[in-house]
Amino acid sequence: KQEVTQIPAALSVPEGENLVLNCSFTDSAIYNLQWFRQDPGKGLTSLLLIQSSQREQTSGRLNASLDKSSGRSTLYIAASQPGDSATYLCATYNQGGKLIFGQGTELSVKP
Amino acid sequence: GAVVSQHPSRVICKSGTSVKIECRSLDFQATTMFWYRQFPKQSLMLMATSNEGSKATYEQGVEKDKFLINHASLTLSTLTVTSAHPEDSSFYICSASSLDTSNSPLHFGNGTRLTVT
């Protein structure tokens, strides 16, 4: 059974800092890994999707990496801004056809 | 981009009543829709997967007679919480996909905050 863990659970940084969010998973037999953003009381917005054959994906100030062999993914946010404050969730899509989520990292970027 | 609309965004009901939540794909045909439940400060837990025209597949521990899912068309799925109780209070989120989900991201609705008094 796939288990997805995110560390840290919460993170507070000053504006402008670069930061890394971590995601680990127990079952490496995944089709893809996705990073989402969730604002309070809202649904999820897809940020990046990394296929199992890929090592990383980039979108603007965001870069996500994937290391299947070690069961890890990182989301790197460059030059953080207060508007980046949200909860970030990673999720793996497994062969069972299900998206399994981590518990999220709540990010706060202070102006 | 693909848009998923979820309605209502917020509902308060009395214990014992039933509540229906709608999930619509606005600009694509959703062959598969997923329903999730999220408790405060916790992650999303998959409740069930529904495919258009067939019965939903429920996750272990989810009561199918309590959480009725109907996916009658390629653009609409509904979740009905029957005889709601305070412990059913939660944030419910749907997602939809028209493609092979192993290759494309899921699109999520904005969620429904259910409060049962």
Side-chain angles (χ1 to χ4, degrees), chain A residues 15-17 61 77-85 109:
Chain A
E15 181 177 5
E17 266 202 15
R61 294 182 293 109
I77 303 177
S80 58
Q81 303 170 358
D84 295 331
S85 298
V109 181

mmCIF file of all heavy atoms in Angstrom, chain A residues 15-17 61 77-85 109:
data_model
loop_
_atom_site.group_PDB
_atom_site.id
_atom_site.type_symbol
_atom_site.label_atom_id
_atom_site.label_comp_id
_atom_site.label_asym_id
_atom_site.label_seq_id
_atom_site.Cartn_x
_atom_site.Cartn_y
_atom_site.Cartn_z
ATOM 1 N N GLU A 15 10.199 36.621 2.637
ATOM 2 C CA GLU A 15 10.087 36.828 1.198
ATOM 3 C C GLU A 15 11.464 36.852 0.534
ATOM 4 O O GLU A 15 12.414 37.418 1.062
ATOM 5 C CB GLU A 15 9.363 38.153 0.939
ATOM 6 C CG GLU A 15 9.144 38.482 -0.524
ATOM 7 C CD GLU A 15 8.365 39.777 -0.714
ATOM 8 O OE1 GLU A 15 8.090 40.453 0.297
ATOM 9 O OE2 GLU A 15 8.043 40.110 -1.871
ATOM 10 N N GLY A 16 11.563 36.233 -0.631
ATOM 11 C CA GLY A 16 12.807 36.248 -1.383
ATOM 12 C C GLY A 16 13.648 34.992 -1.213
ATOM 13 O O GLY A 16 14.537 34.738 -2.029
ATOM 14 N N GLU A 17 13.350 34.221 -0.172
ATOM 15 C CA GLU A 17 14.151 33.009 0.056
ATOM 16 C C GLU A 17 13.804 31.921 -0.945
ATOM 17 O O GLU A 17 12.665 31.809 -1.402
ATOM 18 C CB GLU A 17 13.893 32.477 1.464
ATOM 19 C CG GLU A 17 14.891 32.978 2.475
ATOM 20 C CD GLU A 17 14.981 32.077 3.694
ATOM 21 O OE1 GLU A 17 14.489 30.938 3.653
ATOM 22 O OE2 GLU A 17 15.543 32.550 4.679
ATOM 23 N N ARG A 61 9.075 29.715 -11.520
ATOM 24 C CA ARG A 61 9.967 29.641 -10.349
ATOM 25 C C ARG A 61 9.918 28.290 -9.647
ATOM 26 O O ARG A 61 10.555 28.107 -8.607
ATOM 27 C CB ARG A 61 9.565 30.735 -9.351
ATOM 28 C CG ARG A 61 9.809 32.158 -9.859
ATOM 29 C CD ARG A 61 9.438 33.207 -8.799
ATOM 30 N NE ARG A 61 8.017 33.242 -8.513
ATOM 31 C CZ ARG A 61 7.467 32.809 -7.377
ATOM 32 N NH1 ARG A 61 8.228 32.302 -6.421
ATOM 33 N NH2 ARG A 61 6.167 32.896 -7.191
ATOM 34 N N ILE A 77 11.140 26.076 -4.799
ATOM 35 C CA ILE A 77 10.514 27.356 -5.123
ATOM 36 C C ILE A 77 11.582 28.432 -5.011
ATOM 37 O O ILE A 77 12.168 28.634 -3.938
ATOM 38 C CB ILE A 77 9.334 27.683 -4.188
ATOM 39 C CG1 ILE A 77 8.286 26.571 -4.245
ATOM 40 C CG2 ILE A 77 8.709 29.027 -4.561
ATOM 41 C CD1 ILE A 77 7.103 26.781 -3.289
ATOM 42 N N ALA A 78 11.834 29.096 -6.102
ATOM 43 C CA ALA A 78 12.850 30.141 -6.117
ATOM 44 C C ALA A 78 12.227 31.500 -5.807
ATOM 45 O O ALA A 78 11.089 31.786 -6.191
ATOM 46 C CB ALA A 78 13.526 30.188 -7.483
ATOM 47 N N ALA A 79 12.998 32.322 -5.117
ATOM 48 C CA ALA A 79 12.603 33.712 -4.848
ATOM 49 C C ALA A 79 11.162 33.792 -4.370
ATOM 50 O O ALA A 79 10.298 34.407 -5.014
ATOM 51 C CB ALA A 79 12.812 34.559 -6.097
ATOM 52 N N SER A 80 10.894 33.173 -3.245
ATOM 53 C CA SER A 80 9.515 33.054 -2.759
ATOM 54 C C SER A 80 8.856 34.421 -2.563
ATOM 55 O O SER A 80 9.511 35.424 -2.244
ATOM 56 C CB SER A 80 9.491 32.270 -1.447
ATOM 57 O OG SER A 80 10.300 32.904 -0.474
ATOM 58 N N GLN A 81 7.536 34.418 -2.758
ATOM 59 C CA GLN A 81 6.732 35.630 -2.635
ATOM 60 C C GLN A 81 5.567 35.372 -1.678
ATOM 61 O O GLN A 81 5.140 34.220 -1.530
ATOM 62 C CB GLN A 81 6.173 36.027 -4.011
ATOM 63 C CG GLN A 81 7.232 36.249 -5.070
ATOM 64 C CD GLN A 81 6.637 36.404 -6.451
ATOM 65 O OE1 GLN A 81 5.419 36.309 -6.650
ATOM 66 N NE2 GLN A 81 7.502 36.654 -7.436
ATOM 67 N N PRO A 82 5.020 36.414 -1.060
ATOM 68 C CA PRO A 82 3.872 36.197 -0.161
ATOM 69 C C PRO A 82 2.716 35.468 -0.845
ATOM 70 O O PRO A 82 1.999 34.689 -0.219
ATOM 71 C CB PRO A 82 3.485 37.619 0.244
ATOM 72 C CG PRO A 82 4.772 38.370 0.189
ATOM 73 C CD PRO A 82 5.513 37.792 -0.999
ATOM 74 N N GLY A 83 2.557 35.690 -2.137
ATOM 75 C CA GLY A 83 1.500 35.005 -2.880
ATOM 76 C C GLY A 83 1.709 33.509 -3.020
ATOM 77 O O GLY A 83 0.795 32.785 -3.430
ATOM 78 N N ASP A 84 2.897 33.044 -2.667
ATOM 79 C CA ASP A 84 3.164 31.605 -2.699
ATOM 80 C C ASP A 84 2.618 30.907 -1.457
ATOM 81 O O ASP A 84 2.623 29.675 -1.381
ATOM 82 C CB ASP A 84 4.680 31.336 -2.785
ATOM 83 C CG ASP A 84 5.278 31.825 -4.092
ATOM 84 O OD1 ASP A 84 4.567 31.852 -5.112
ATOM 85 O OD2 ASP A 84 6.484 32.186 -4.088
ATOM 86 N N SER A 85 2.174 31.678 -0.486
ATOM 87 C CA SER A 85 1.659 31.093 0.757
ATOM 88 C C SER A 85 0.432 30.239 0.455
ATOM 89 O O SER A 85 -0.548 30.721 -0.111
ATOM 90 C CB SER A 85 1.289 32.200 1.749
ATOM 91 O OG SER A 85 2.425 32.953 2.104
ATOM 92 N N VAL A 109 4.926 32.657 3.506
ATOM 93 C CA VAL A 109 6.011 33.538 3.081
ATOM 94 C C VAL A 109 5.721 34.927 3.626
ATOM 95 O O VAL A 109 4.722 35.562 3.266
ATOM 96 C CB VAL A 109 6.129 33.586 1.547
ATOM 97 C CG1 VAL A 109 7.283 34.502 1.134
ATOM 98 C CG2 VAL A 109 6.321 32.185 0.985
#
